[in-house]
Amino acid sequence: MSDPTTDTTERNEEQPPSSSRRNFLKGTGLAVGGLIVGGVVGGLIRPTSKEPAAPSPETGGGTAVNYNQALMYFNQEQFRIVDLATERLFPKDDQGPGAQELGVAYYIDHQLAGEWGMNGREYMQGPFFAGEKTQGYQGHLRRREIFEIALREMQNYSNAKFEKDFTGLAPEEQDTVLKAFENDEVKLTTISASGFFKMLFSSTMEGVYADPLYGGNGGMSGWKMKKFPGSQMAYTDIIEKEEFVNMQPVSLREHMAQ
């Protein structure tokens, strides 16, 4: 019988330990340090290939799926109401796309799913007093709760006035409902109708012009309409130029990909 130690030494001489481990990792796709990419782990790592990246909605190319447009908080009915309401606040015209095409409702949905929707950075304990109009909302409800109540009341008001859900109304009828909220013609017991309208309007504007990373401003079209350059790394090459320089906008996602 041969000496096990001798056999092991001979095998190691034929195939160094690092080589055998490398072959094993090649077969399983478990290496992560930039040497081997495969299997499940490889799918989570950006490929190092020099092939051009597939076009994305953020860069305005092709019809690639924008996986950032996925619901995180709204149910389908709530999303449809917000999608249509924001389009009435920022409609498509000859200047460019409206809120629906820009994905504004997804932006609002994502914000409500996070700290903003939970008022995570604000003091929310009592006692509560009626504040001045300049102070904004002073109650105990979170923003996501305010949206839930207001969207339900939008449906109730639409059915009471037009015998249809908000999503089934003509654009002019939707404007009537939104105007009623803006003017506090809708009497709500827990929140101010006009306070919700202001929140919806400001959120719509944020969704139009925020970085596409947050769900809205699809294709950076909101920036393009304003000729806003986005998240440029520097302006040293143009800062001293007298004439206006129209730069193609750059998103945070493109910086992350570099």
Side-chain angles (χ1 to χ4, degrees), residues 49-158:
S49 169
K50 295 183 180 180
E51 292 294 323
S56 71
E58 286 186 21
T59 56
T63 57
V65 176
N66 185 353
Y67 293 103
N68 199 27
Q69 291 195 338
L71 295 185
M72 297 181 179
Y73 183 73
F74 286 142
N75 60 36
Q76 291 293 333
E77 180 186 50
Q78 292 169 333
F79 176 80
R80 286 194 297 269
I81 297 171
V82 173
D83 196 37
L84 292 170
T86 56
E87 179 69 16
R88 299 311 303 154
L89 297 176
F90 194 90
K92 180 179 181 179
D93 59 18
D94 57 357
Q95 299 297 314
Q100 282 185 300
E101 189 174 341
L102 292 168
V104 168
Y106 287 105
Y107 168 83
I108 296 175
D109 169 77
H110 294 183
Q111 293 301 304
L112 290 175
E115 284 196 342
W116 185 80
M118 286 293 293
N119 299 66
R121 296 173 182 258
E122 300 169 31
Y123 182 80
M124 296 292 293
Q125 302 300 316
F128 299 101
F129 299 97
E132 300 294 330
K133 288 188 176 181
T134 55
Q135 291 181 293
Y137 179 69
Q138 299 292 306
H140 68 281
L141 294 173
R142 313 290 178 179
R143 291 188 184 93
R144 58 170 57 177
E145 295 171 320
I146 293 174
F147 264 84
E148 288 179 0
I149 294 169
L151 295 179
R152 184 169 61 248
E153 293 301 329
M154 284 179 69
Q155 290 285 58
N156 292 339
Y157 185 81
S158 298

